[in-house]
Amino acid sequence: MQITKENSDNLNAVVKVNIDKSDYSEKVDKILKDYRKTANIPGFRKGHVPMGMIKRQYGQAVLADEVNKLIQESLNNYLTEEKLDILGNPIPKEQEDFSWDSDDYSFEFELGLAPEINIDFNNKKAITHYKISADKEMIDDQIKLIQRQFGKLVSQTEVKEGFTLVGKFTNEEEGIENETSFKLEDLKGKKNKTSFLGAKTGDTIQVNTKGLFEKEEQLATFLGLEEDKAKDLDVDVNFEITEINEEVPHELNQELFDKYTREEGKITSEEELKNFIKEQAAEQFVQHSDQQLLNDTTEYLLESTKFDLPTEFLQKWIQISGEKELTKEEAKEEFEKSEKGIRYQLIEAKIIKDNDIQVKPEEVKDMMKERIKMQMAQYGGASFSDEQMDQFANQMLSNQEEARKISEQVMSGKILDLLKEKLKLKEKEVSFKKFADEVYK
C-alpha cells in the first residue's frame, strides 16, 4: 500500500491511496473460506460448496468491505502520523471508470487543511469588564421580598388593595371550573379591580375574560385553560370567593435575619442585612459579567484574527455529512450560518494548544459539586458530607452528555482567565440595571 499527498494550495490537498492485491487478498480468502464452512446452499452438503460458487456469490461484497476497512484504517493512521490538522473529514473523489474486477485499486480523497492562525492579544482599545453591584433600589426590593417570603397570611373578610383572593372561576358553556388564587394587583384596569374591592367571603363576582389580567398568559393559568383556548377569549365568568388573605410582611428583626441566613446571629442589624445582600448579589453577578466579557473578547478575537478557510471544501463536506444530503445552495447557506462558529472554534483551539490548557478530572468534579450545592441552596440548602457530595457528583458525571457540558464549561473558564491576563481590559462598576441597559439595549 502506498499513500501520497499533494497540496493544491495552503488550504486544500488530495491524498491518494494505492492498494495492491497483496494488501487484502489473504484477509478476503480467509473470510471466504469461513463462509464456505457455514454456507447453506441447496444441493450441497454444509462445508462442501465449491469455492468458485462462494466467490461468485459473496466475493465482491467481501472484497469491497475489506478494502473499505483497509482504506479507513490506513487513511486515519496516515493523518495521525503526518500530524495533519484537517477540517471536517476526507471526502472521496468520484471515479467514473472504477471497477472491482481489477486487482489493484487507487482512491483519492480531498482534504480541507486548517489555516495558520496568529492571534493578536495587543488590543489597543481596552475591552470593558463590568463589575456589577446591587444598588439601593435593588437591595430595598430584595429586603421587601425577604419580608414577604417569611411573612404570614392573615385571613380577612373583605377585599382590599394588596389582598389575595382564593376561589373558583366557572363558566359552564366553556367548560371552565378552576380553583385558583390571585392578587388584586394581578387584575388589569380600574374597572376589574373595582368589581372585587369590598367583596366578602362567599360572594360571587361576574367579570369578562377580555383584558382581565395584567399579563395575557395569566388568564390561561387562572382559568385552567390551554393557552390557545385562552387567547382572545371573550366570555363572562363567575368567581366565587372562598378565602380573602392579607399578606403581612415579617418584621425586620433578629428572627427574620436568622431565618434568611439559616444561621443564628450571623446578621444582627438591618445594615448588616443590606451588606449581606450586596455581597450575595455581587457573587451572582460575576456570572453575568464574565459571560459578557467572554462575548466581547470573542468578538474582538474574531475581528482581529484574520485567516482564510477552505470554503469550497467545507461547503462540499456540509453538503454530504448530514443525515440527509443537501443541495449546493443549502450547503452554502448552512456554511454562511456556521462560518463564525467555525472560525472561533479554530481560534479557541489555537489558544488551547499554544498555552497547553488542560481540563483535569478533579476540576470537572469540583465544578459539578458546586452546581449541586447551588441547586440544593434553592431548595432549602440541605447539608451533605464530602463523601455524599462525591457520590452525587460521580452519579451526575456518569452521564456522558452532562460530563461533556461541564468539561466545556471548565475549559471556557480557563480560556477566559487567560484572556483576562493577556488582553487589555478596563473595569467599569455599574448597577445591574445600568449593565442591562448597556448590554441588552
Side-chain angles (χ1 to χ4, degrees):
M1 182 186 303
Q2 183 183 29
I3 302 180
T4 57
K5 177 175 73 73
E6 184 177 340
N7 282 23
S8 308
D9 52 44
N10 290 335
L11 297 173
N12 296 275
V14 174
V15 168
K16 190 172 185 179
V17 182
N18 293 321
I19 297 178
D20 299 328
K21 185 176 182 179
S22 58
D23 295 321
Y24 61 81
S25 59
E26 186 176 341
K27 182 71 173 175
V28 170
D29 287 345
K30 182 180 183 305
I31 293 172
L32 291 175
K33 286 176 182 177
D34 291 338
Y35 274 25
R36 187 187 182 208
K37 292 176 185 177
T38 58
N40 190 4
I41 297 177
F44 298 95
R45 285 185 298 149
K46 191 181 247 186
H48 290 78
V49 180
M51 181 55 79
M53 183 175 288
I54 294 292
K55 286 183 177 180
R56 283 194 300 274
Q57 199 158 350
Y58 303 106
Q60 191 171 102
V62 172
L63 171 64
D65 188 47
E66 289 307 309
V67 168
N68 282 324
K69 286 180 184 177
L70 188 60
I71 291 170
Q72 290 301 320
E73 183 181 354
S74 58
L75 188 56
N76 289 338
N77 289 339
Y78 175 79
L79 296 175
T80 302
E81 290 167 3
E82 295 295 316
K83 298 180 180 178
L84 292 178
D85 194 1
I86 66 170
L87 302 180
N89 293 315
I91 298 176
K93 295 186 73 172
E94 291 185 13
Q95 294 174 275
E96 295 180 3
D97 57 349
F98 179 82
S99 172
W100 286 110
D101 293 332
S102 304
D103 289 332
D104 302 329
Y105 307 103
S106 180
F107 301 90
E108 291 184 343
F109 296 86
E110 296 177 57
L111 301 182
L113 305 178
E116 286 290 329
I117 298 176
N118 296 308
I119 300 175
D120 181 13
F121 291 108
N122 297 313
N123 54 312
K124 293 179 182 179
K125 184 180 179 182
I127 298 170
T128 301
H129 186 198
Y130 291 95
K131 185 178 181 182
I132 310 169
S133 60
D135 58 15
K136 183 180 182 301
E137 183 182 356
M138 179 176 280
I139 293 171
D140 290 343
D141 287 344
Q142 182 64 19
I143 289 175
K144 289 176 184 176
L145 181 63
I146 294 166
Q147 287 181 278
R148 290 200 303 270
Q149 181 183 348
F150 293 98
K152 59 183 178 181
L153 291 178
V154 177
S155 181
Q156 301 290 347
T157 57
E158 184 179 327
V159 178
K160 293 182 181 179
E161 291 283 356
F163 285 9
T164 298
L165 291 80
V166 180
K168 182 191 289 186
F169 276 110
T170 56
N171 178 304
E172 190 174 342
E173 291 182 3
E174 296 293 332
I176 298 171
E177 187 175 355
N178 191 57
E179 293 183 358
T180 188
S181 66
F182 59 89
K183 292 186 177 181
L184 195 66
E185 55 261 39
D186 289 328
L187 294 166
K188 184 177 182 179
K190 186 177 180 180
K191 182 182 176 181
N192 286 324
K193 291 178 182 177
T194 302
S195 299
F196 285 89
L197 280 171
K200 294 179 171 56
T201 305
D203 287 353
T204 297
I205 311 297
Q206 187 177 77
V207 288
N208 190 274
T209 57
K210 188 174 182 180
L212 182 57
F213 293 103
E214 285 286 353
K215 299 176 182 176
E216 289 185 11
E217 63 270 20
Q218 288 177 318
L219 184 66
T221 302
F222 293 141
L223 268 61
L225 300 174
E226 296 290 333
E227 287 188 15
D228 289 344
K229 185 175 180 180
K231 188 178 181 182
D232 300 324
L233 185 67
D234 186 1
V235 297
D236 290 335
V237 290
N238 292 323
F239 185 78
E240 183 185 356
I241 302 172
T242 56
E243 289 182 35
I244 302 170
N245 294 312
E246 180 185 7
E247 192 178 74
V248 179
H250 200 296
E251 288 184 40
L252 271 176
N253 55 23
Q254 191 61 49
E255 183 183 14
L256 177 62
F257 303 152
D258 293 345
K259 284 181 177 179
Y260 179 61
T261 61
R262 299 188 183 92
E263 188 175 333
E264 192 174 332
K266 183 171 184 177
I267 290 173
T268 58
S269 68
E270 183 179 347
E271 191 61 35
E272 288 181 8
L273 175 61
K274 289 180 178 180
N275 290 332
F276 184 74
I277 292 171
K278 191 171 184 177
E279 290 170 6
Q280 280 191 318
E283 290 177 9
Q284 293 170 2
F285 291 149
V286 166
Q287 185 176 352
H288 293 280
S289 174
D290 279 355
Q291 183 58 56
Q292 186 57 38
L293 181 61
L294 184 61
N295 293 345
D296 291 339
T297 53
T298 297
E299 286 301 317
Y300 165 74
L301 291 171
L302 285 168
E303 289 175 9
S304 63
T305 311
K306 305 297 183 185
F307 55 86
D308 293 325
L309 289 171
T311 301
E312 188 176 337
F313 170 85
L314 288 172
Q315 289 180 7
K316 190 183 294 186
W317 177 66
I318 289 171
Q319 184 179 356
I320 65 172
S321 62
E323 292 182 9
K324 178 184 175 183
E325 186 166 331
L326 305 177
T327 64
K328 285 185 178 181
E329 292 74 21
E330 289 171 334
K332 182 180 179 182
E333 184 179 347
E334 193 64 31
F335 171 76
E336 289 170 353
K337 288 180 185 176
S338 57
E339 182 180 1
K340 198 171 181 180
I342 293 170
R343 289 182 176 278
Y344 185 69
Q345 285 178 1
L346 291 170
I347 293 170
E348 192 177 68
K350 176 71 171 174
I351 292 172
I352 292 169
K353 182 180 178 182
D354 287 354
N355 295 278
D356 193 26
I357 303 176
Q358 299 178 16
V359 173
K360 299 176 183 177
E362 57 267 27
E363 293 172 328
V364 176
K365 183 185 280 190
D366 286 344
M367 177 169 277
M368 177 58 78
K369 286 159 75 171
E370 285 301 314
R371 294 295 164 88
I372 294 171
K373 286 178 184 176
M374 289 171 63
Q375 290 175 0
M376 288 178 173
Q378 295 176 1
Y379 300 97
S383 179
F384 293 96
S385 67
D386 290 341
E387 185 179 350
Q388 287 174 314
M389 290 300 293
D390 275 341
Q391 289 175 352
F392 292 148
N394 289 334
Q395 185 177 355
M396 295 290 288
L397 292 171
S398 63
N399 182 317
Q400 291 186 351
E401 180 63 18
E402 192 68 27
R404 181 190 63 79
K405 288 180 182 177
I406 298 296
S407 296
E408 288 178 355
Q409 289 169 8
V410 174
M411 177 59 78
S412 181
K414 285 175 171 277
I415 292 171
L416 184 59
D417 287 341
L418 180 80
L419 295 177
K420 287 178 181 178
E421 293 177 11
K422 288 187 172 287
L423 292 172
K424 183 180 178 182
L425 307 178
K426 62 176 179 182
E427 191 174 275
K428 184 175 183 180
E429 189 165 348
V430 293
S431 67
F432 185 76
K433 185 178 183 304
K434 179 80 171 181
F435 170 77
D437 287 343
E438 288 192 19
V439 172
Y440 306 122
K441 57 188 174 183

